[in-house]
Each structure stands twice: as C-alpha cells, then as structure tokens.
Amino acid sequence: MLFRSAASEATEARALAQAQERSAAAFAKGPQTDAALEMQRLGLIANPADLQPTTGTKILSAIAGPRAEERAIKANQRRVGEIARQDMGLPVEESLAGKGAFDRAEAAAAAPYNEVRSIPRIDATPESVAALEALRPSESIIGSKLLRNRADKLIDEAVVKLQSGMSGENLLDNIRSLRQKASKIYQNDNASPEQIDMANVYRGMAKTLEQAIDNGITDPDLLRRFQSARTQLAKIHDYRDATNFNTGIVDAAKIAKITAGDNSQIGRAHV
C-alpha cells in the first residue's frame, strides 16, 4: 500500500522504538550472555536467564531458587576439575588434593627442559632487555614506591646477569624460582593487591627469561618442543595456583585473576 494512515504509522513507530529498546538491552547484556554461552560450550551450568534473557527463562531461574544455584556451583566445580585434568594430561579420576598430581603432570611435560639445561651460554637480545625494562612499575602510580623499589632491584640484577650471558641451566633455575615466588602469592587468599602486583612482576620476569631461551636455541626441533612444553607447563602452573590442595577444588575465579590479559597461558577452563 502506497499511502498509510496516521494510526498505522504511529503503531509502526512504537514497534520500532520497542525493538530498539530490546536491542539496546541485549547489547548491554552482551558480555554476560557471551560468558554464559561459553560456559555452556564447556559443559558448565549457566543461569538460563543469562543464556536467553526472556520472561520464560527468568521465571525458570526464579523457581529454581538458591538450592539450584548451589547445585550448579558444585556441578561446575566438578566440571572445571575435569577440564583441568584433561588440560594437564592427567587421568580424569586423579585427585587434585595435594601437590602430587601437579608434580607428575610437570614431570611428564618437562623433557625438553633437560636438553635446554645443557646449553652452555645464552646471550641477551635487545628484545629481552626491553621486555624486562617494561616490567618496571610506573612512577606515576600513587602508592607504588615500595613495589617499584623491590621490582627495580630484581630487574636491575636480571638485566646485568642476562647481558653477561647465562647458561641454560642457570636460566631454568631462575625461571623456576621466580614462578615459585609468584605461585606462593597467588595461592594466598589473603594476598594484598600490592603482593599480587609483585607476583605479576615475578611471573613477567620468568616469561621474559623463557623468551631469552627461545632466542638462544639454534635447533628448530628443540625450539618447537621446548615452546610446546613451556605452554603446557604454564597451564599446569596456573591450575596449581588456582587449586585448594586441601579440597582438590580448582577455583575458576582464581584462574581468571591469574591469567587476566594472558589468555594463551591457560587451557579450556579460561572462561
């Protein structure tokens, strides 16, 4: 019809406005919905209202109530544990209580590291030094003086040693020490923001020294195997840091905190 009545135009205008409101609301909820869909893909239980926020799903969520939420939390804990075991190459029934399972997973992945230990000398590259320098806390941040002083001393020492040349064994020992220091802080539920920042510095230094090893390996096959092992060990370290050794429960929230901004360092449980 070429001509429409004023009433029909008003009805269409209202319908368009309502559609735009729904679209805006859906856009605002987008990140939450995307996260819920990712949870569903991994076999985790998400709130139905987050998957498709219609009146029907909201009613179902309300009917389910707190008990259903508690059951979902327990089911998700089990599923995250299953994903962690699969990512680490562990049997699905293996307990994560205690450090034994993580030690076994690390030992299975670390074979190329033994070959790297035999490299007599690895020299610094400008990229490695620049990466260490980039870890220095900003002087513009109020209250960061103590953190900056501690970090500067460590970074100064690392730059001097790296520029003097380090053996593969020495580099790996330092990487392990730095990761252990970071891990101890990440596993502390009462760690302060400043302590977490320091843990991030430790972790960043470890990653930079690993990159220095990459630059010093001349055998392409060893480089490929070392990088693959490093990725696997990084996943294992992150799962270790996010696990309560008393209960064997992997804390997904801790995984998110540890790997924030570094999605490559965790497996399928990075949601």
Side-chain angles (χ1 to χ4, degrees):
M1 178 183 280
L2 186 58
F3 298 100
R4 293 172 297 171
S5 68
S8 117
E9 289 182 354
T11 300
E12 289 185 11
R14 283 195 299 273
L16 177 60
Q18 290 169 352
Q20 288 173 335
E21 287 178 6
R22 289 194 298 270
S23 176
F27 180 81
K29 195 176 178 64
Q32 183 180 357
T33 303
D34 289 345
L37 288 170
E38 179 66 6
M39 288 176 67
Q40 190 180 55
R41 183 185 70 79
L42 291 169
L44 300 170
I45 298 174
N47 186 330
D50 290 338
L51 292 172
Q52 187 179 2
T54 63
T55 301
T57 56
K58 288 178 181 178
I59 291 173
L60 287 174
S61 296
I63 292 173
R67 288 187 178 179
E69 183 176 344
E70 184 179 342
R71 289 196 297 271
I73 289 172
K74 290 182 178 178
N76 285 342
Q77 286 176 343
R78 287 193 297 272
R79 180 58 185 146
V80 170
E82 290 172 0
I83 293 171
R85 290 177 182 86
Q86 291 168 11
D87 273 345
M88 293 188 288
L90 293 170
V92 69
E93 70 278 0
E94 181 147 7
S95 172
L96 298 182
K99 300 179 181 180
F102 299 93
D103 290 342
R104 286 188 288 278
E106 287 182 17
Y113 276 60
N114 296 327
E115 296 179 58
V116 169
R117 284 188 175 277
S118 66
I119 299 176
R121 180 185 172 100
I122 294 175
D123 291 308
T125 64
E127 292 78 14
S128 297
V129 174
L132 285 172
E133 294 290 348
L135 294 171
R136 296 185 189 274
S138 172
E139 294 183 5
S140 64
I141 303 300
I142 296 172
S144 66
K145 185 176 180 179
L146 181 60
L147 170 66
R148 190 167 64 249
N149 288 342
R150 291 182 62 193
D152 281 348
K153 289 179 181 179
L154 280 173
I155 292 169
D156 287 343
E157 184 180 356
V159 169
V160 170
K161 286 186 175 181
L162 198 56
Q163 288 180 328
S164 300
M166 300 176 70
S167 68
E169 183 173 14
N170 196 351
L171 279 166
L172 288 175
D173 287 345
N174 275 277
I175 289 166
R176 185 170 187 83
S177 174
L178 289 164
R179 287 200 175 275
Q180 285 175 341
K181 290 175 181 177
S183 179
K184 187 174 181 179
I185 296 173
Y186 287 136
Q187 289 175 348
N188 180 6
D189 291 333
N190 299 315
S192 68
E194 291 77 15
Q195 289 173 316
I196 295 295
D197 287 341
M198 196 64 218
N200 292 338
V201 171
Y202 289 139
R203 192 166 183 262
M205 291 178 67
K207 289 174 61 180
T208 301
L209 295 183
E210 287 169 340
Q211 186 60 50
I213 292 176
D214 281 359
N215 297 333
I217 294 176
T218 56
D219 179 352
D221 179 63
L222 176 56
L223 176 60
R224 177 189 59 78
R225 289 186 290 111
F226 175 71
Q227 290 175 333
S228 177
R230 185 176 69 207
T231 299
Q232 181 65 8
L233 286 170
K235 291 180 185 180
I236 296 167
H237 293 154
D238 289 338
Y239 282 126
R240 178 195 286 266
D241 294 342
T243 300
N244 183 319
F245 292 145
N246 293 321
T247 63
I249 292 175
V250 182
D251 187 335
K254 273 195 174 182
I255 292 175
K257 183 188 295 185
I258 293 168
T259 61
D262 189 15
N263 293 355
S264 66
Q265 295 302 312
I266 196 68
R268 294 177 301 122
H270 184 75
V271 295

